[in-house]
Amino acid sequence: MIDNSEKLKIGNKSFSSRLMLGTGKYKNLETAVKSIETSDCEIVTVAIRRLPTNLHNDSNNFLNTLNWKKLWLLPNTAGSQTAEEAIRMAFLGHELACQIGQEDNFFIKLEVISDPKYLLPDPIGTLKAAEFLVKKGFTVLPYINADPMLALHLEDLGCATVMPLGSPIGSGQGLNNLANIKIIIENSSIPVIVDAGIGTASEAAMAMELGVDGVLLNTAVSQSKNPEKMAYAMNLAVKSGRLAYCAGRMEKKIYASSSSPMNLLSKI
């Protein structure tokens, strides 16, 4: 039997699934919940700005419909244009985690984005916010450009992961930064999660085959024609990509090589 039980460790938490899902852009609440369930993901990220300050006063809120005994909340600071805004959002994120019974949850997906057109993360603001939040005890998962040197600086600060984008968020362009992502994987001693740009299951599998530790995506599922089916496809893609990486692909060769050697044929 194939053993694929190696868990993804982020901070002091371990997860069986290496797929993480966002919660935006779904057509309705039911589709979002079913897609999350079908994906078998264990980490769900939610923009803090989209949530009320008190979940208990809003019984119809999305977070109240999910099973938080099986899922781990990853609040994100989406919409923050400065380090200061992101820091404030991080503390609100922990308060929201407490409201769903995850008092020990100090995870934060750190996004500092001041570019309104391409939504590219601000490296200086990200570094500044990450340093502060790590010192305050947060488990920081920073969303970054595929910049190998920035990734090393964030690791040195104590971030729990680095999350380079495959291509601009929500674009579905796929993995346009392969060379730099490979360098980040090679240099990193913390998990590398590809975040943003993936449009379909084959791209998720490709990311995992490179050796990334996980994939975070949203639009590829929520904006597909059948989100529930695409969520399942992503589930399988991440698992198969991880298995392929662990198995090790064959060496590429210039010339053809018979799959049935002649010395074997002669014995038949």
Side-chain angles (χ1 to χ4, degrees):
M1 183 176 178
I2 301 297
D3 182 11
N4 193 32
S5 60
E6 181 190 3
K7 294 194 174 184
L8 170 61
K9 192 172 189 304
I10 300 176
N12 61 357
K13 293 284 292 183
S14 294
F15 304 93
S16 296
S17 174
R18 293 174 180 270
L19 173 63
M20 310 173 190
L21 282 190
T23 56
K25 300 182 181 179
Y26 284 95
K27 293 179 182 178
N28 54 60
L29 181 64
E30 182 182 6
T31 301
V33 173
K34 285 185 176 180
S35 298
I36 290 170
E37 291 174 348
T38 304
S39 75
D40 277 341
C41 74
E42 293 174 283
I43 297 178
V44 173
T45 186
V46 179
I48 302 160
R49 286 180 180 272
R50 297 198 351 244
L51 299 174
T53 55
N54 192 329
L55 297 177
H56 300 304
N57 293 337
D58 185 2
S59 59
N60 294 321
N61 186 274
F62 175 75
L63 289 190
N64 290 325
T65 65
L66 296 176
N67 183 354
W68 293 110
K69 293 181 179 179
K70 294 183 177 180
L71 296 171
W72 188 251
L73 177 65
L74 175 58
N76 70 64
T77 65
S80 299
Q81 297 185 7
T82 66
E84 290 74 19
E85 283 184 274
I87 289 168
R88 184 169 65 86
M89 287 293 108
F91 280 93
L92 288 175
H94 173 62
E95 291 180 17
L96 290 168
C98 290
Q99 291 182 41
I100 60 170
Q102 296 182 0
E103 289 81 4
D104 59 338
N105 186 346
F106 284 88
F107 274 46
I108 190 70
K109 182 190 173 196
L110 177 60
E111 297 184 28
V112 182
I113 300 175
S114 54
D115 164 29
K117 184 175 183 180
Y118 296 103
L119 300 178
L120 297 174
D122 173 5
I124 306 303
T126 301
L127 276 171
K128 183 178 178 182
E131 183 175 17
F132 181 89
L133 291 170
V134 168
K135 288 179 179 177
K136 292 296 183 180
F138 281 85
T139 301
V140 180
L141 293 76
Y143 169 61
I144 62 171
N145 284 298
D147 181 338
M149 293 311 300
L150 175 60
L152 283 176
H153 285 308
L154 288 164
E155 181 177 339
D156 288 342
L157 287 178
C159 289
T161 72
V162 285
M163 306 181 78
L165 54 82
S167 54
I169 191 167
S171 69
Q173 293 177 22
L175 302 173
N176 291 347
N177 301 310
L178 282 178
N180 279 13
I181 291 173
K182 287 179 180 178
I183 296 172
I184 292 173
I185 295 168
E186 180 183 349
N187 291 339
S188 181
S189 59
I190 57 176
V192 178
I193 312 293
V194 165
D195 177 11
I198 285 177
T200 191
S202 59
E203 294 162 0
M206 183 187 299
M208 296 303 298
E209 288 174 6
L210 285 179
V212 302
D213 298 278
V215 167
L216 191 153
L217 52 88
N218 184 132
T219 311
V221 171
S222 64
Q223 294 294 287
S224 65
K225 293 180 180 179
N226 189 316
E228 192 173 351
K229 285 185 177 180
M230 184 60 79
Y232 186 55
M234 292 297 184
N235 172 13
L236 297 177
V238 169
K239 289 177 179 176
S240 64
R242 178 66 181 178
L243 276 172
Y245 169 74
C246 292
R249 67 158 291 144
M250 64 169 285
E251 181 184 352
K252 291 184 179 181
K253 301 174 182 178
I254 297 175
Y255 303 107
S257 175
S258 174
S259 58
S260 300
M262 290 306 295
N263 60 351
L264 178 61
L265 290 174
S266 64
K267 295 179 182 179
I268 297 177

